[in-house]
Amino acid sequence: MNDWKNYTDKNGDFQLANFLYKSINELMKHSLDMGTLLSDDAHKLRAYKEQTKKLFKNKWLDVASALEHFDIIEKCECYTGQKEVYCDICKGSRYKISSYLSPDEMREVSTFVNAAHDAELQTKLQKGLMKLLEEI
Ligand SMILES: [Zn+2]
């Protein structure tokens, strides 16, 4: 099974791009298997498989470009648009989770967000801001 919890890198960060890519790839494999079951015509089968692979690959790139637009994922170092080589970072998805969404960044962001609910922290930030404005 494609358990999303197993998709973590060596730092324990969730590999969102890899997980989605693998999920779409699994669907593609099922489609290819179905084609094999249903067709005795080798020529048609080859055309069907090529077409199916292309469709799924393009669908992944659609999904990836939407997620990239919202800074949820970003292109992997291996993204060249040329011949594909195996990459240990993204495992073929050509994308990785955005550096904005790394656990360290998230903790930092949540500190700021929570500041609105934390009166003491809010006062501190306000005092800091006032002091800064006085110095200008
Ligand atoms: Zn890569």
Side-chain angles (χ1 to χ4, degrees):
M1 257 323 266
N2 196 12
D3 190 346
W4 67 271
K5 288 173 196 145
N6 294 331
Y7 287 82
T8 49
D9 63 13
K10 58 182 181 337
N11 302 318
D13 294 349
F14 182 50
Q15 295 175 302
L16 177 69
N18 184 27
F19 168 68
L20 293 173
Y21 175 72
K22 279 278 156 59
S23 301
I24 289 173
N25 250 5
E26 255 177 45
L27 290 173
M28 180 186 76
K29 279 180 189 141
H30 290 308
S31 297
L32 293 176
D33 289 348
M34 288 300 152
T36 308
L37 281 178
L38 294 172
S39 180
D40 295 326
D41 184 328
H43 185 71
K44 275 187 187 167
L45 184 60
R46 199 175 322 120
Y48 167 79
K49 285 191 173 180
E50 269 168 33
Q51 199 60 28
T52 303
K53 281 181 189 170
K54 205 156 75 181
L55 281 170
F56 274 90
K57 192 182 170 194
N58 287 340
K59 186 49 72 184
W60 161 241
L61 292 175
D62 282 349
V63 171
S65 82
L67 294 174
E68 187 185 23
H69 177 78
F70 292 104
D71 286 329
I72 295 167
I73 61 173
E74 60 191 22
K75 285 188 176 78
C76 181
E77 285 82 354
C78 73
Y79 189 102
T80 58
Q82 289 163 11
K83 195 165 167 30
E84 293 178 3
V85 286
Y86 182 74
C87 171
D88 201 40
I89 300 167
C90 65
K91 303 199 166 51
S93 68
R94 308 296 160 202
Y95 283 88
K96 56 185 186 176
I97 198 150
S98 166
S99 49
Y100 298 116
L101 294 176
S102 72
D104 287 347
E105 290 283 333
M106 292 293 269
R107 264 193 290 277
E108 225 167 277
V109 169
S110 73
T111 306
F112 279 107
V113 173
N114 282 334
H117 305 289
D118 184 333
E120 195 187 335
L121 188 59
Q122 209 173 10
T123 313
K124 269 187 202 165
L125 287 172
Q126 233 157 20
K127 275 183 189 162
L129 182 65
M130 293 312 283
K131 204 176 158 205
L132 200 72
L133 287 173
E134 280 163 21
E135 283 168 11
I136 293 171

